[in-house]
Amino acid sequence: MQSVGKDGSQVINYSDRFTLSGMTGTFPPTYQAAIAKITGTTGPASTNQEAPAAAGGAQGAQGDYAVTYTAQTGLIKYAPMQIPPGTKITAKNVSPRYPTSSVQIAKAFLPTPKQTTTMTASLTVKPAQSHAFNAPAASMPAADDMQKFLNRWRD
């Protein structure tokens, strides 16, 4: 079983060995040689891998979220919070907030990525105002409607 911590550290716990019976097929000679060397049923010891330090030097108040996304290393990458939308649409001529990024299409199989997930910072601002939902609650269906619904599955 693999467990990954918030900081990217990883612990791997191995189970004891077990036997499967009734299986057919063969193993390659290298596997057969490795299997012959196994003694006992105790599995390997657990491994504990410390998280690699994120690139980018000292971190500010935002911690890992302050490190540029492309400069991060490790199992987990951190992205800043999305910009909350405004309360009114005032823009007449819009332009992209950030420049576009280039895309390179893979022409061969790529290695397995080292990143396991991306964490996004949680919402840290409150909306400017909130509105009460004034719609009335939905009424209960009439008894006849419910009976029609239940009759569909009558045998």
Side-chain angles (χ1 to χ4, degrees):
M1 175 176 62
Q2 293 184 353
S3 305
V4 179
K6 287 182 180 179
D7 62 352
S9 59
Q10 183 177 18
V11 176
I12 303 174
N13 296 308
Y14 298 95
S15 66
D16 288 340
R17 294 184 176 92
F18 53 91
T19 302
L20 297 175
S21 58
M23 309 254 331
T24 60
T26 60
F27 286 112
T30 54
Y31 287 13
Q32 290 177 358
I35 292 170
K37 293 178 185 177
I38 296 174
T39 59
T41 59
T42 304
S46 296
T47 60
N48 187 354
Q49 301 169 351
E50 295 293 325
Q59 298 173 353
Q62 294 181 11
D64 293 322
Y65 296 101
V67 178
T68 306
Y69 190 83
T70 55
Q72 295 178 27
T73 60
L75 297 176
I76 300 173
K77 287 197 174 188
Y78 297 88
M81 180 187 77
Q82 296 89 347
I83 297 172
T87 57
K88 295 180 182 176
I89 299 174
T90 59
K92 301 293 182 213
N93 296 321
V94 296
S95 60
R97 185 176 299 271
Y98 301 104
T100 58
S101 58
S102 64
V103 175
Q104 295 178 348
I105 305 300
K107 295 183 168 98
F109 287 104
L110 298 174
T112 303
K114 294 177 184 167
Q115 174 188 351
T116 58
T117 190
T118 298
M119 301 293 291
T120 304
S122 60
L123 184 64
T124 56
V125 296
K126 292 184 178 179
Q129 54 184 299
S130 63
H131 301 281
F133 185 69
N134 295 326
S139 62
M140 293 297 292
D144 293 341
D145 291 341
M146 182 55 76
Q147 191 58 49
K148 288 178 189 175
F149 178 76
L150 293 173
N151 287 343
R152 291 181 187 176
W153 288 275
R154 194 176 275 178
D155 287 338

